[in-house]
Amino acid sequence: MKLQQPFASLKSGDLLFVPDTNEKLSQIIAKSTVVKAVTRPQPRKNYTHVGVLEHGLEGLFVLHATPTKGCIRESLTDFLNDQQSIDVYRLKNSNIDHESAIQHGKTLLGEPYNSSFIAEQPGYYCSEFVCALYKDIFAQTPMSFGPNGSILPEWHSYYKKINLPIPNGLPGSSPNSLLNQGITDFITTLSKI
């Protein structure tokens, strides 16, 4: 796999956002979360996954939570193998201790994926994992499971299968809600060529 952009500009703590894909969960997340063009002029995409970059002596790694593997650390190359492209954002505050955040993230590796998106349930979903690493940086926002406070039919089916209530409006996060807070800058897009 060849990449369009060299990795030299990447830094520890960069946030890697994955646009929506054809996967079922990605599609219902994309239909449910709101993209605010006012706070994110470039690029205006609907994101359904996010991870944190670790730039260390051993290379480039991504810490993130996935439905199939839970909380993991994998090489950036492996992370990119499953994506057509990712957008890299950086927190604006330059005083953030990214190394401490990443070290905290490593203590969470092996935790399960929180498929309920309910904070009290075990594990972490992707943006919840990022918020755990940067707990004093990102604010929780009311979760959305459909446009304008509605709940999409797909979520009714999803939550019926896991026998839990839909946490519509409860505090939480999504990749889009992290960006909508206006505390990140777009850096670059990494794409396969």
Side-chain angles (χ1 to χ4, degrees):
M1 175 194 69
K2 292 184 179 180
L3 294 171
Q4 187 178 45
Q5 167 75 23
F7 297 149
S9 64
L10 302 179
K11 295 182 179 180
S12 281
D14 283 349
L15 302 173
L16 309 179
F17 286 86
V18 178
D20 59 320
T21 67
N22 291 328
E23 294 175 4
K24 186 176 179 179
L25 184 58
S26 177
Q27 287 296 302
I28 61 175
I29 291 170
K31 287 196 280 184
S32 301
T33 57
V34 178
V35 177
K36 293 183 181 176
V38 174
T39 58
R40 289 195 339 215
Q42 177 192 346
R44 292 191 343 227
K45 295 179 185 171
N46 201 351
Y47 299 103
T48 59
H49 187 66
V50 61
V52 177
L53 184 79
E54 175 192 7
H55 194 309
L57 297 175
E58 304 165 2
L60 298 169
F61 295 90
V62 181
L63 285 77
H64 62 124
T66 73
T68 57
K69 299 176 186 172
C71 299
I72 61 169
R73 176 183 183 253
E74 66 181 337
S75 72
L76 177 61
T77 302
D78 287 345
F79 181 78
L80 290 169
N81 277 337
D82 294 332
Q83 318 304 329
Q84 287 302 309
S85 69
I86 60 167
D87 290 329
V88 180
Y89 285 80
R90 188 168 293 149
L91 289 160
K92 292 178 182 180
N93 183 342
S94 60
N95 296 320
I96 296 169
D97 184 353
H98 295 291
E99 293 309 317
S100 291
I102 289 166
Q103 288 309 312
H104 178 60
K106 288 180 178 180
T107 69
L108 303 177
L109 298 179
E111 290 289 327
Y113 184 77
N114 179 356
S115 60
S116 72
F117 307 104
I118 299 171
E120 294 78 22
Q121 295 293 315
Y124 297 87
Y125 54 92
C126 69
S127 57
E128 182 183 27
F129 182 79
V130 171
C131 289
L133 274 59
Y134 293 101
K135 51 186 145 198
D136 296 327
I137 306 299
F138 290 108
Q140 289 193 345
T141 58
M143 288 191 286
S144 173
F145 290 83
N148 303 316
S150 68
I151 299 174
L152 296 173
E154 295 94 333
W155 286 120
H156 286 287
S157 299
Y158 180 90
Y159 279 92
K160 185 175 183 177
K161 286 179 187 171
I162 62 173
N163 198 30
L164 288 169
I166 301 170
N168 198 41
L170 293 180
S173 63
S174 72
N176 289 315
S177 75
L178 300 184
L179 288 177
N180 287 341
Q181 294 181 35
I183 59 174
T184 58
D185 286 321
F186 174 73
I187 302 301
T188 190
T189 298
L190 301 176
S191 302
K192 293 180 187 180
I193 55 171

